[in-house]
Amino acid sequence: MNSPRKILKKIWGHEEFRPGQELIINDLCADEDVFALLPTGGGKSICYQVPGILKKGLTIVISPLISLMQDQVEQLTKNGVKAAALYGGMSYREIDITLDNARFGSYDFLYLSPERLETQIFIERFKAMQVSQIIIDEAHCISQWGHDFRPEFRNINTLRLIYPKAAIGAYTATATNEVLLDIATQLGLEKASLHQASMRRPNLSYEVSTWGDTEAEILQFAKSRPIHESGLVYVKTRNEADTWAKRLT
């Protein structure tokens, strides 16, 4: 029988999990709901992809980022795992074929945007799928403090009504305790296991400056850095971005 570590070695070529990953995987494999607060780059996808390969049935992954969905489907497919994604720009026929394949067990993973949950074609086909787990990436978008970004995230809890036995996994790198509680309430995850890793990133440092003349300070700061360094300046409008690009050049 395959084990999480054997799958990790076979698919990804790693001998050991990162700290905290294996506990999340074990809970999902035991059909337990999980709530994972892990830093960006902390290996969240492994935590649901390994159980999705081990368990019978389909893993639904809801993500707001098309590029991330496409990248993960490409990587899984390259490693011999059956995966597909639904996203904007696909024709009705492409969507129809993908959902039929999911319904008949052709995939281990089906990635989709939260907006897709509201379409009639998905709802009807979803009822006929054999779903083992439902994963929500960027779960902070569900919270009343964050759902303005993608309000359709609020409808995810309807999936549980259709598949009450499917394990739910909510993943985010951005959540206060207040937001965590709100997400748990929205998804009915009050009894879920909470897995929380340190957000500390030793390769990053933070500094706050209460600038007076912002423009002069930015230019002075840029001039003070070594020529080989790179950085980002965030501005409010496209016009400001064009202006600053010219100034810094």
Side-chain angles (χ1 to χ4, degrees):
M1 178 182 289
N2 280 325
S3 68
R5 294 198 175 212
K6 287 181 180 179
I7 293 295
L8 183 71
K9 174 65 176 177
K10 178 182 177 182
I11 303 297
W12 288 276
H14 301 310
E15 298 287 349
E16 300 287 337
F17 287 105
R18 293 180 183 177
Q21 285 182 324
E22 200 162 12
L23 293 174
I24 298 172
I25 289 167
N26 290 340
D27 279 346
L28 278 177
C29 285
D31 294 326
E32 300 289 338
D33 294 338
V34 301
F35 203 144
L37 184 60
L38 302 174
T40 300
K44 292 189 288 291
S45 58
I46 291 286
C47 296
Y48 62 79
Q49 288 174 348
V50 170
I53 294 169
L54 284 170
K55 297 169 73 170
K56 291 182 179 179
L58 177 68
T59 292
I60 298 286
V61 184
I62 301 160
S63 171
L65 305 172
I66 291 176
S67 59
L68 180 62
M69 288 193 286
Q70 292 174 325
D71 180 65
Q72 292 200 5
V73 168
E74 181 181 340
Q75 292 301 319
L76 286 169
T77 303
K78 189 184 297 182
N79 289 324
V81 180
K82 298 175 292 183
L86 295 177
Y87 45 84
M90 295 176 68
S91 68
Y92 183 88
R93 176 167 172 74
E94 288 173 323
I95 294 170
D96 186 41
I97 292 172
T98 301
L99 287 174
D100 256 358
N101 286 335
R103 182 162 62 101
F104 291 119
S106 298
Y107 305 128
D108 296 310
F109 296 89
L110 179 63
Y111 287 76
L112 64 151
S113 65
E115 290 81 4
R116 188 65 56 187
L117 304 178
E118 299 182 333
T119 61
Q120 194 61 39
I121 185 174
F122 171 77
I123 294 170
E124 291 305 316
R125 303 293 174 82
F126 179 73
K127 294 176 182 177
M129 296 175 189
Q130 300 299 313
V131 178
S132 63
Q133 55 182 13
I134 299 168
I135 305 300
I136 303 101
D137 201 10
E138 308 294 339
H140 55 273
C141 296
I142 295 168
S143 171
Q144 62 178 311
W145 288 275
H147 75 269
D148 287 343
F149 171 52
R150 300 294 278 270
E152 294 80 8
F153 264 89
R154 301 298 288 272
N155 299 323
I156 292 174
N157 59 354
T158 60
L159 301 184
R160 166 145 268 182
L161 300 177
I162 301 173
Y163 285 100
K165 293 184 179 179
I168 301 283
Y171 297 78
T172 182
T174 310
T176 62
N177 288 334
E178 193 174 20
V179 170
L180 286 174
L181 179 60
D182 189 45
I183 296 170
T185 301
Q186 296 287 340
L187 290 176
L189 296 178
E190 290 85 354
K191 296 182 180 179
S193 300
L194 175 61
H195 299 269
Q196 187 167 359
S198 171
M199 294 291 112
R200 174 156 176 74
R201 302 291 290 270
N203 59 325
L204 299 178
S205 62
Y206 300 89
E207 180 181 333
V208 176
S209 177
T210 52
W211 289 341
D213 186 340
T214 305
E215 295 186 10
E217 291 283 354
I218 291 174
L219 290 171
Q220 184 58 42
F221 179 79
K223 290 177 180 177
S224 71
R225 309 309 304 167
I227 192 67
H228 66 274
E229 287 192 359
S230 60
L232 296 172
V233 177
Y234 288 91
V235 293
K236 294 181 180 179
T237 65
R238 189 172 296 178
N239 285 338
E240 283 186 86
D242 290 337
T243 299
W244 274 105
K246 292 175 183 176
R247 284 178 178 172
L248 292 170
T249 298

